[in-house]
Amino acid sequence: MSRKATITGLGKYIPPRVLTNKDLEKMVDTSDEWITTRTGIKERHLVEDGVSTSDIACDAAREALADAGLAVEDIDLIIVATVTPDMPFPSTACLVQEKLGAWNAAAFDLEAGCSGFVYSLAVAAQFIESGLYRNALVIGAEILSRITDWEDRSTCVLFGDGAGAAVIEATDKGGMLAFELGADGSGGKSLYIPAGGSLKPSSVTTIEEKGHFIRMEGNQVFKFAVKTMGYAALKVIEKAGLQPEDVDLFVPHQANTRIIQSAANKLKLPEEKVFVNLPKYGNTSSASVPIALAEAREEGLIKDGDIIVLVAFGAGLTWASTVIEWNEGE
Ligand code: COA
C-alpha cells in the first residue's frame, strides 16, 4: 500500500471576547430569534484591536505542534489558508514562520475561501506522500471581523474570528484516504470583496463605497452549499471505497445549521455522527473545520480507526472534502 499522510496533532485558538446575538440587536436591525432560526448561530468570538491573523495562527500552531510532539525546527512546510492575511504580501505563512522560528520550513498561503483548510490538507498530503517532506503544518486562520461591514445585517451576523491548525505526517496505516476538490468560478460574484486588489485598488472612492467588506448573495451561496456539501461528501466517500454508513464522524464547514443538516440528510447520518459547534463561533471561514476537528477530539469523539469526513464550501466558489481513517500514530 502506498504511503499516506495523516493528522498527528491538532490545535485551536478562540479569542476570548464574545459578541452575542443580543449584542448584535443593539448594532443592526436584527433579532436573536431571526439569527438562530435562519443560521443556528448564537454567538461569535472576536479578536482585540492590534491582533493579526498571523498571531492567532501561531497560537493554534503551537498547540498542534505540542500535541504532535514536534519541535518548531522539525517543520518542513507551513501552509496558511486564509482570506484575511495580515497584508497582501509577504504571505501570512512567512510571518508565522518568523514568529514561530520555524527556520527549516518552506511557507506559503493558500486562498480557497472557506474551503481553504481542506484544500491545504490535500496540498500538504502531496508533499508527504511523495516523500519530499516529512511533515507539514496546515493552519486555517481568519479575522473576518476586519472585513465585515458591521452595518450590514445580512452578513455581520454570520462571521467570527479564530484559528485551527493540524500537523501532517506520513503513516503506513489509514490516514487521509481520498480528496475531492472543486471550483465554480462562475459563482465568484456571489461572495466576494470588490476592492483592494489589482482590479480596484484602494482609494477614497472604494472606501466610501464600502468596497473592502464582504459582499454576499446569501440565497445563491445557500443553494450552492446545499448542492455541493452532500455531493462532495458522497464523492469522497466513494473515492475512498467506503459507504456513508462507514462514517463515524462528519465534520462539516460551520456556516449554517440548515446547510449542515441537508448534507447530513444526503448521507443519511444520525445526529450523533454530525459535529456542530457553529452556535458558539459562527462562520470562521478556513478556521472552521480545524477548530471543529480539534474540539471534536477534545470531546472524546475521535479515536484511532474511526472514519472521519471533512467537507467545506466557500468563496470562489469552491468545495473540498477528505476521508480520514484516523491514526495519530505513536
Ligand atoms: N436579521 C433580520 N432580518 C434579516 C437579516 C438579519 N440579520 N438578514 C437578512 N434579513 C432579512 C432580509 O432583508 C430579507 O428580508 P425581505 O424578505 O424583507 O427582503 C429576509 O430577512 C430573508 O432574507 P433571505 O436572504 O431570503 O434569508 P435566507 O433564509 O436565505 O437566510 C442567510 C439568509 C444568509 C442566513 C442564508 O441565505 C445563508 O446562510 N446563506 C449562506 C451564507 C453563507 O454560508 N456564507 C458563507 C459561505 S462560506
Side-chain angles (χ1 to χ4, degrees):
M1 208 180 87
S2 65
R3 147 198 172 109
K4 294 281 183 202
T6 197
I7 293 176
T8 57
L10 286 167
K12 69 180 198 314
Y13 177 78
I14 309 293
R17 185 171 140 221
V18 175
L19 186 77
T20 65
N21 291 352
K22 288 279 172 207
D23 296 329
L24 279 165
E25 285 179 359
K26 294 176 209 137
M27 295 162 65
V28 287
D29 180 13
T30 191
S31 65
D32 174 40
E33 200 268 334
W34 192 96
I35 303 170
T36 307
T37 53
R38 298 293 181 109
T39 73
I41 300 165
K42 296 299 284 183
E43 57 189 39
R44 66 288 294 143
H45 291 244
L46 308 183
V47 298
E48 301 296 339
D49 289 350
V51 174
S52 72
T53 298
S54 63
D55 290 331
I56 63 173
C58 285
D59 289 325
R62 286 190 191 97
E63 205 174 279
L65 287 171
D67 189 37
L70 279 193
V72 282
E73 55 270 19
D74 294 334
I75 310 167
D76 296 325
L77 173 68
I78 300 171
I79 306 177
V80 175
T82 187
V83 297
T84 51
D86 286 24
M87 55 192 82
F89 64 84
S91 69
T92 303
C94 283
L95 301 173
V96 166
Q97 186 228 31
E98 199 254 329
K99 285 180 184 175
L100 291 178
W103 303 118
N104 298 319
F108 63 89
D109 287 0
L110 188 149
E111 208 275 77
C114 303
S115 313
F117 178 79
V118 184
Y119 255 80
S120 299
L121 285 181
V123 173
Q126 309 312 305
F127 285 100
I128 304 300
E129 288 176 12
S130 68
L132 192 62
Y133 291 135
R134 280 170 302 120
N135 61 63
L137 186 55
V138 175
I139 308 169
E142 302 285 7
I143 302 189
L144 297 175
S145 58
R146 303 258 164 80
I147 56 165
T148 297
D149 177 357
W150 290 101
E151 293 176 347
D152 174 11
R153 68 175 184 174
S154 68
T155 53
C156 76
V157 302
L158 302 176
F159 302 109
D161 302 337
V167 172
I168 316 298
E169 295 180 80
T171 180
D172 48 18
K173 190 161 168 277
M176 291 187 267
L177 303 179
F179 290 98
E180 164 67 19
L181 307 181
D184 176 4
S186 71
K189 280 282 167 64
S190 309
L191 182 56
Y192 73 122
I193 293 182
S198 61
L199 181 63
K200 258 199 188 185
S202 310
S203 67
V204 173
T205 311
T206 61
I207 292 170
E208 282 168 356
E209 289 172 348
K210 295 191 168 192
H212 301 273
F213 295 130
I214 298 168
R215 299 262 175 94
M216 185 181 74
E217 289 176 53
N219 49 11
Q220 292 301 319
V221 178
F222 190 91
K223 277 187 219 152
F224 169 81
V226 164
K227 195 175 75 185
T228 310
M229 289 268 272
Y231 163 80
L234 284 170
K235 186 84 188 165
V236 81
I237 291 167
E238 185 192 314
K239 280 184 176 176
L242 298 170
Q243 303 291 328
E245 51 269 31
D246 298 322
V247 175
D248 294 297
L249 192 68
F250 184 59
V251 183
H253 172 44
Q254 308 284 312
N256 184 312
T257 41
R258 291 186 287 148
I259 295 171
I260 294 173
Q261 193 53 56
S262 108
N265 289 348
K266 284 207 180 110
L267 273 69
K268 299 192 174 64
L269 291 176
E271 211 178 306
E272 62 273 15
K273 288 189 173 183
V274 181
F275 189 77
V276 178
N277 63 4
L278 174 74
K280 292 189 288 182
Y281 306 129
N283 180 346
T284 58
S285 190
S286 61
S288 119
V289 169
I291 290 173
L293 193 59
E295 210 162 274
R297 206 195 41 166
E298 276 167 30
E299 291 177 19
L301 300 175
I302 299 177
K303 57 181 187 318
D304 274 6
D306 279 357
I307 298 294
I308 315 290
V309 172
L310 311 183
V311 60
F313 68 94
L317 296 168
T318 56
W319 65 89
S321 53
T322 184
V323 175
I324 309 172
E325 185 184 329
W326 200 261
N327 173 23
E328 288 180 37
E330 295 306 295

